[in-house]
Amino acid sequence: MMDSHASMTNLPDSAEGQAHTPHAEEEHAHPDWSIYWKVALILTLITVGEVWAFYVPSFAASRGFVPTLLFLSGLKFTIVVMFYMHLKYDHRLFRVLFTGPLLVASITLIGLLFLFGHLHIKIM
Amino acid sequence: MPASVAHTSAPTSHHYTTLGLDSRKVAIWAFIGSECMLFVSLISTYLIYKGRSIVGPFPHETWTDPATGHVFKPILNIPVTSASTFVLLMSSLFMVLALAAVQNKEKPKHTRGERVLGNSKLWLWMTASAGATFLGFQAFEFTSFVHEGLSIRTNLFGSSFFTLTGFHGAHVTAGVIWLVTLLAIDYRRGLGSKDSLLVDIAALYWHFVDVIWIVIFTLVYLIK
Amino acid sequence: MATTARPAPKHSPDAYGEHSGLWSWLSTVDHKRIGVLYLYTALFFFMFGGVEAIIIRAQLGAPNQHLVSAEFYNQLFTMHGTTMIFLAIMPLSAAFFNFLIPLQIGARDVAFPRLNAFSYWVYLFGGIFITIPILFAVAPNDGWFGYAPLTTRAYSPGINIDFWVIGLLILGVSSLAAAFNFLTTIINLRAPGMTLMRMPMFTWMAFIVQVLLVLAFPVITIALVFLLFDRFFGTNFYNTVSAGADPLLWQHLFWIFGHPEVYILVLPAFGLVSEVLPTYSKKPLFGYPVMVYSGILIAVLGFGVWAHHMFAVGMGPIADTFFGLTTMLIAIPTGVKIFNWIATMAQGSIRYTTAMLFGIGLVALFTIGGISGIMHASPPADLQQTDTYFIVAHFHYVLFGGSIMGIFGGIYHYFPKITGRLMDEKLGKIHFWLTVVAMNLTFFPMHFSGMLGMPRRIYTYDAGQGWDLFNAMSTAGAMIFPIAMLVFIYNFFVSRKRGEIAGSNPWGAGTLEWTIPSPPPEYNFAKIPTVTSRYPLWEGKGIDYECARINSQEGKTPADLGIVMPYSTIKPLFVALGLVTMFCGLIFARALIGVGAALMIFSLYSWLLSPLEPEHH
């Protein structure tokens, strides 16, 4: 895949040797099987943990339940995006294209929940 | 990648690009960014309407119909959905293996393990089958809900639940069709490392759909 | 058909003369031709929406008139808004995106030429779909923002709103496809040396608009899908009566889209004047980096102001304060742009061409609209002004005084590049002055009728409320618009045939699109330029001029230069047709859904499995 990208920078017209060096994709070793199965294992364990937490009534009723689940879900989200979608190894542009909209989306979600009275801001 | 992309059936971009990236990959990431807003709109609506339904059945609470006295149990089936969640998670593993197999197609393989890991058809089949299995679970879930008395028309929960998970299911369906198309190409002429990008963009889409399910599973199924 | 190679076409100095057969237009993937298609189609819809406005004004010209029925009046104002926003201003901007972005960044086409054709055909079919009903008096009739629950089946049982919901869904597909395409093009197809901070300001504003489209359209898509499901499948998203739905859900979702949409409508025009003003002042744009950053800031803040459209619903003091403050904040980057344009003109050697006049017109008239906007950023003031003609005056100063003035400036400025001929300046100036008089005579009195309490969207009114004079003035102004438009249309078509030959750079402008022949050859640049500055023709180095010299040569075919051009193909048109047929099926006959889907999927596969262009070596 890397060399296919590199060859795309070949500009037929730039043979005159103009001072032009396109920013080729940073070369990083892609993760392979040894990382992939560990990632899958971690994802499975987190999922098992989440479902287990759901079935512990004392924990499910406690204040820590929702934040814990949100944290675990966010963790899984991040792991898949970083390793399976190889954002960790890929061009910086892709990170911007994903995190920008994700940020706008998250803030919109929080704003809407507040406006519809599901979240409360305490003044004083 | 010399000019021998002739038998690549999809359009191949081999023009100069500013960042040295393939435009299709830039576009798929932009598309994924856009999909974030799409799913947030759906998820927001689900959460806004959470607990606002006038009549049951409800996701996590029992409800007695005052008219008939019929008792509706909490409708969400956590064990079944946990299983389908696991299947979808595994499909992501199969997907990365399919991509790696295509990327390393031309590398010599010595051991049996290397040959299995390098079998792109196997991993594409596994991914597509896992996706189809997930859809099977969803079909089972939807029909059993309707059987128990929750349809898309019943209450706010029914409308927002079926629409949210249905949109996700539609995305999985599109992904399965995409994977089957790649498989067809693989059978017809073999996917090689020069086709990595075709598989890569499909994989990005597939993982994104998985990631959305990770969020839905927690927000809809686990948090009461 | 796309698999058989077509003989390499020759470049013709006459506007696309050699390939002007109908088939060549239906199957084109050339961004310039698609831009021209957008321009003609959008100008048609602009005039269609204008006729609707004139009937509205005629109805309101005097108290207690009944020129049209109240029901038809509702359809008129709904379709006037919908047409102008989705079928006129956005596609007019898209015409310029198509034509200019590749030329300004030194590219041979957009990133996905066939997707580009698809966007246009979806727009055309969607536009026809949503426009036809008014000819049969069954057009959408609940306002351009289609507030649910008013638009649900319970309160709008006819097919009127079905056309609106489905039409907007179709048009959303077109906008999103185009947005991904342009976003990728600007990110990835810039010529060597065309860094982000050297991009022409129009391309910068276009870039920001694509980001807004990509983020805003999914939200309206979902809001519309909810409404579609409510109307067709009996879901409860907006069912406030029996299911306990929240009546504000639609409003929030709609305005999360709707406010960025305002910037989607006006930023392209800002980009166009940012090309026009420097050219005719013979000065680089003042404060270029600040212009870029203010544009980005407008985009970011644009997602945090949506609820200022909803102060009247009673969201509580925290929300009101927050959205009031962000709305006032967003005025700052907008104001910065106004000052930068003025500073660009200051001490320049100004030529008052028609394009320049429209550019100056934008600066003046948009400022009026901007200032009245700040007035209702304050919730208490807004409670007096909301839903009155004061708001109508405000957004027409922003959309007409801003978007339309900028777009006309852009048309006069780029007409020679598109057609190879100049527009008549004398007629252009008549058009400009008629437009300015008509615009102010129509919309300025609305400030007063609004302040005196005249509500929006009313069918007629009683005499003696102090509104008569102002309404008569507005109607008189509206009657001048058709005259102005006739002058423009006459000028447009006569100049296209008989205008003075323009040459590659008739205005002495500085950016890349002026280094190539007018009209540009289908490959745009014989040699992909290397860029060393923001205005290669004004302040470039030797290499800039060398590229310009090579690229200004006329008459070379792609074959002469060894340039591979994409095949033309009809497939995107069929995919678009399938998509629209599928949606039509929801209203007319369910069987069409399958037919449309089959056509769409078959054409789509055929498109994706055929090569974009001949193999190149």
Side-chain angles (χ1 to χ4, degrees):
Chain A
M1 195 186 81
M2 280 302 143
D3 36 43
S4 82
H5 283 156
S7 79
M8 272 151 207
T9 63
N10 287 341
L11 170 65
D13 310 65
S14 68
E16 291 93 74
Q18 290 141 9
H20 144 59
T21 41
H23 308 274
E25 204 172 324
E26 296 136 63
E27 294 269 345
H28 283 291
H30 264 295
D32 57 2
W33 166 244
S34 62
I35 295 196
Y36 289 152
W37 76 262
K38 282 178 203 148
V39 170
L41 183 69
I42 294 170
L43 291 173
T44 310
L45 288 177
I46 296 176
T47 308
V48 169
E50 285 175 323
V51 178
W52 172 78
F54 179 85
Y55 281 109
V56 180
S58 59
F59 184 60
S62 75
R63 276 175 151 205
F65 179 70
V66 173
T68 309
L69 279 190
L70 290 180
F71 172 76
L72 290 176
S73 163
L75 190 63
K76 273 160 65 182
F77 185 100
T78 316
I79 290 173
V80 173
V81 172
M82 290 310 247
F83 291 93
Y84 283 176
M85 293 170 90
H86 44 82
L87 212 48
K88 189 173 188 289
Y89 309 96
D90 227 332
H91 197 280
R92 205 162 44 105
L93 169 77
F94 301 135
R95 239 168 288 171
V96 177
L97 280 178
F98 183 62
T99 45
L102 186 66
L103 215 62
V104 174
S106 313
I107 293 170
T108 307
L109 173 65
I110 293 167
L112 277 173
L113 289 181
F114 167 74
L115 284 163
F116 283 92
H118 288 263
L119 299 172
H120 301 280
I121 296 180
K122 291 196 183 74
I123 303 176
M124 293 186 288
Chain B
M1 187 186 75
S4 65
V5 286
H7 45 279
T8 304
S9 50
T12 310
S13 154
H14 35 201
H15 293 296
Y16 165 77
T17 64
T18 315
L19 300 173
L21 303 169
D22 191 286
S23 290
R24 284 169 289 171
K25 197 161 163 183
V26 177
I28 194 82
W29 272 110
F31 175 73
I32 288 172
S34 181
E35 292 273 276
C36 288
M37 286 302 280
L38 188 100
F39 277 104
V40 152
S41 310
L42 288 161
I43 292 171
S44 301
T45 304
Y46 179 84
L47 293 177
I48 286 166
Y49 281 159
K50 199 168 171 166
R52 290 209 186 175
S53 296
I54 297 171
V55 297
F58 296 131
H60 296 290
E61 303 83 15
T62 48
W63 178 67
T64 314
D65 189 341
T68 60
H70 183 77
V71 177
F72 292 90
K73 282 185 286 193
I75 200 149
L76 292 180
N77 189 335
I78 303 299
V80 166
T81 312
S82 302
S84 75
T85 303
F86 176 74
V87 170
L88 201 60
L89 273 181
M90 285 306 108
S91 81
S92 264
L93 174 64
F94 304 148
M95 189 73 244
V96 286
L97 294 176
L99 176 60
V102 170
Q103 282 169 340
N104 301 319
K105 202 49 153 299
E106 285 83 17
K107 285 196 186 147
K109 293 165 189 76
H110 307 292
T111 64
R112 200 180 127 80
E114 277 175 357
R115 277 193 292 276
V116 171
L117 282 178
N119 186 341
S120 58
K121 293 190 190 75
L122 169 72
W123 298 115
L124 284 172
W125 265 120
M126 295 284 279
T127 318
S129 317
T133 311
F134 177 84
L135 289 172
F137 273 115
Q138 192 169 46
F140 167 76
E141 183 190 40
F142 280 17
T143 44
S144 64
F145 282 10
V146 171
H147 191 69
E148 285 171 53
L150 180 77
S151 80
I152 199 167
R153 300 170 170 210
T154 309
N155 53 16
L156 292 177
F157 165 67
S159 296
S160 53
F161 171 84
F162 281 111
T163 307
L164 168 61
T165 53
F167 252 82
H168 179 266
H171 277 74
V172 176
T173 311
V176 171
I177 294 170
W178 194 344
L179 289 167
V180 170
T181 309
L182 286 175
L183 260 174
I185 296 173
D186 203 357
Y187 275 105
R188 259 178 94 167
R189 62 166 175 78
L191 289 169
S193 59
K194 62 182 169 14
D195 305 308
S196 300
L197 191 95
L198 289 183
V199 184
D200 194 10
I201 54 176
L204 288 173
Y205 172 82
W206 188 261
H207 296 307
F208 177 72
V209 172
D210 182 22
V211 151
I212 290 298
W213 186 255
I214 289 175
V215 175
I216 292 176
F217 182 58
T218 302
L219 289 181
V220 173
Y221 289 87
L222 295 182
I223 293 178
K224 288 172 192 170
Chain C
M1 51 120 329
T3 44
T4 51
R6 172 180 68 120
K10 288 199 194 98
H11 165 59
S12 147
D14 243 357
Y16 314 104
E18 213 163 314
H19 297 277
S20 50
L22 178 65
W23 179 261
S24 75
W25 287 96
L26 296 178
S27 65
T28 185
V29 294
D30 182 337
H31 71 97
K32 299 179 288 299
R33 291 179 141 221
I34 295 171
V36 169
L37 287 171
Y38 263 109
L39 182 65
Y40 278 101
T41 316
L43 279 175
F44 169 78
F45 281 121
F46 179 64
M47 284 183 278
F48 197 93
V51 171
E52 288 162 348
I54 286 163
I55 304 174
I56 292 173
R57 277 320 319 171
Q59 161 65 23
L60 292 176
N64 295 315
Q65 292 202 100
H66 298 279
L67 290 179
V68 292
S69 70
E71 163 59 26
F72 194 66
Y73 182 84
N74 289 349
Q75 299 182 13
L76 282 170
F77 74 69
T78 302
M79 284 316 294
H80 168 67
T82 306
T83 304
M84 287 307 194
I85 288 167
F86 295 102
L87 304 181
I89 298 182
M90 283 178 73
L92 279 168
S93 305
F96 286 105
F97 296 158
N98 267 290
F99 201 89
L100 286 181
I101 289 174
L103 299 187
Q104 287 201 325
I105 62 174
R108 293 221 165 103
D109 207 321
V110 292
F112 307 103
R114 296 181 290 190
L115 185 65
N116 203 21
F118 170 75
S119 301
Y120 170 73
W121 295 114
V122 175
Y123 154 60
L124 177 66
F125 298 143
I128 293 171
F129 176 85
I130 206 168
T131 301
I132 293 277
I134 198 154
L135 304 176
F136 301 92
V138 287
N141 51 4
D142 287 345
W144 84 274
F145 35 68
Y147 276 178
L150 181 62
T151 39
T152 56
R153 195 66 82 190
Y155 304 102
S156 298
I159 57 170
N160 311 48
I161 297 299
D162 295 338
F163 282 108
W164 187 79
V165 179
I166 295 169
L168 288 199
L169 277 171
I170 295 171
L171 293 169
V173 172
S174 164
S175 299
L176 278 170
F180 296 129
N181 205 347
F182 292 129
L183 197 63
T184 309
T185 304
I186 297 172
I187 289 174
N188 216 22
L189 293 191
R190 282 169 287 130
M194 178 60 78
T195 57
L196 286 178
M197 291 310 268
R198 281 186 195 148
M199 280 197 318
M201 192 51 60
F202 173 75
T203 300
W204 248 114
M205 291 304 118
F207 188 37
I208 293 168
V209 167
Q210 309 315 319
V211 174
L212 290 172
L213 282 165
V214 158
L215 295 178
F217 264 76
V219 184
I220 186 71
T221 302
I222 290 301
L224 288 166
V225 165
F226 289 163
L227 186 55
L228 187 84
F229 281 14
D230 271 14
R231 291 183 66 85
F232 284 87
F233 310 129
T235 53
N236 299 306
F237 292 104
Y238 308 120
N239 179 352
T240 47
V241 177
S242 58
D246 198 311
L248 294 188
L249 179 68
W250 169 272
Q251 291 197 28
H252 278 294
L253 292 177
F254 184 83
W255 289 114
I256 289 173
F257 146 80
H259 202 78
E261 171 71 12
V262 173
Y263 298 106
I264 290 168
L265 294 169
V266 84
L267 286 180
F270 282 7
L272 286 169
V273 281
S274 301
E275 301 299 328
V276 166
L277 295 180
T279 302
Y280 302 104
S281 309
K282 266 290 169 203
K283 273 177 71 192
L285 186 65
F286 182 86
Y288 174 99
V290 182
M291 285 299 241
V292 171
Y293 299 138
S294 60
I296 296 173
L297 205 60
I298 287 175
V300 173
L301 286 175
F303 278 96
V305 298
W306 80 81
H308 69 212
H309 295 266
M310 304 165 54
F311 284 143
V313 304
M315 294 177 295
I318 300 173
D320 279 4
T321 311
F322 176 84
F323 287 104
L325 283 175
T326 51
T327 306
M328 291 176 198
L329 265 181
I330 207 166
I332 296 173
T334 318
V336 163
K337 283 187 179 295
I338 302 280
F339 283 113
N340 278 351
W341 288 324
I342 294 171
T344 303
M345 290 185 280
Q347 297 182 335
S349 49
I350 296 180
R351 284 174 292 160
Y352 291 100
T353 60
T354 310
M356 183 65 173
L357 291 175
F358 273 104
I360 298 171
L362 179 145
V363 176
L365 297 173
F366 178 82
T367 305
I368 298 175
I371 288 171
S372 60
I374 302 174
M375 291 170 71
H376 35 258
S378 163
D382 182 69
L383 289 180
Q384 295 302 311
Q385 296 162 358
T386 192
D387 266 334
T388 69
Y389 263 82
F390 190 86
I391 300 291
V392 180
H394 157 70
F395 68 70
H396 279 93
Y397 267 88
V398 172
L399 289 180
F400 201 109
S403 307
I404 293 294
M405 295 299 270
I407 285 166
F408 274 129
I411 290 176
Y412 281 95
H413 187 57
Y414 284 107
F415 185 86
K417 184 52 64 186
I418 298 171
T419 63
R421 293 174 184 274
L422 295 166
M423 275 178 100
D424 187 90
E425 279 292 309
K426 200 176 278 170
L427 287 174
K429 280 172 187 157
I430 295 173
H431 171 219
F432 169 75
W433 286 111
L434 282 174
T435 306
V436 167
V437 169
M439 139 102 212
N440 285 289
L441 186 55
T442 308
F443 299 119
F444 205 80
M446 289 184 184
H447 288 110
F448 299 105
S449 43
M451 279 300 193
L452 292 170
M454 179 168 167
R456 289 168 75 176
R457 304 183 209 98
I458 53 165
Y459 165 57
T460 190
Y461 52 92
D462 272 335
Q465 302 181 84
W467 307 343
D468 307 9
L469 173 66
F470 297 121
N471 274 291
M473 287 167 79
S474 292
T475 300
M479 296 310 155
I480 303 177
F481 278 121
I483 305 169
M485 278 310 285
L486 282 178
V487 174
F488 169 75
I489 295 297
Y490 174 79
N491 191 358
F492 190 96
F493 283 102
V494 170
S495 303
R496 199 175 138 267
K497 281 263 186 299
R498 292 203 291 271
E500 220 180 297
I501 297 288
S504 65
N505 190 5
W507 312 119
T511 40
L512 277 184
E513 70 270 31
W514 303 102
T515 65
I516 56 177
S518 310
E522 55 178 315
Y523 49 81
N524 298 348
F525 296 90
K527 173 187 167 64
I528 297 288
T530 299
V531 182
T532 62
S533 78
R534 280 176 200 150
Y535 295 94
L537 284 170
W538 284 1
E539 46 187 38
K541 300 199 173 63
I543 179 102
D544 291 295
Y545 294 108
E546 176 59 15
C547 294
R549 191 186 59 75
I550 296 172
N551 284 327
S552 64
Q553 288 169 357
E554 301 202 14
K556 291 256 171 55
T557 66
D560 294 342
L561 298 159
I563 296 170
V564 180
M565 297 306 297
Y567 296 118
S568 50
T569 169
I570 194 82
K571 286 163 190 166
L573 187 153
F574 280 120
V575 180
L577 194 63
L579 179 85
V580 177
T581 310
M582 204 170 81
F583 276 114
C584 284
L586 272 174
I587 297 185
F588 300 114
R590 293 290 151 103
L592 279 178
I593 299 177
V595 174
L599 176 63
M600 182 176 79
I601 291 167
F602 176 78
S603 313
L604 186 66
Y605 264 87
S606 160
W607 159 5
L608 291 175
L609 295 175
S610 60
L612 171 70
E613 59 198 9
E615 204 186 310
H616 90 160
H617 300 280

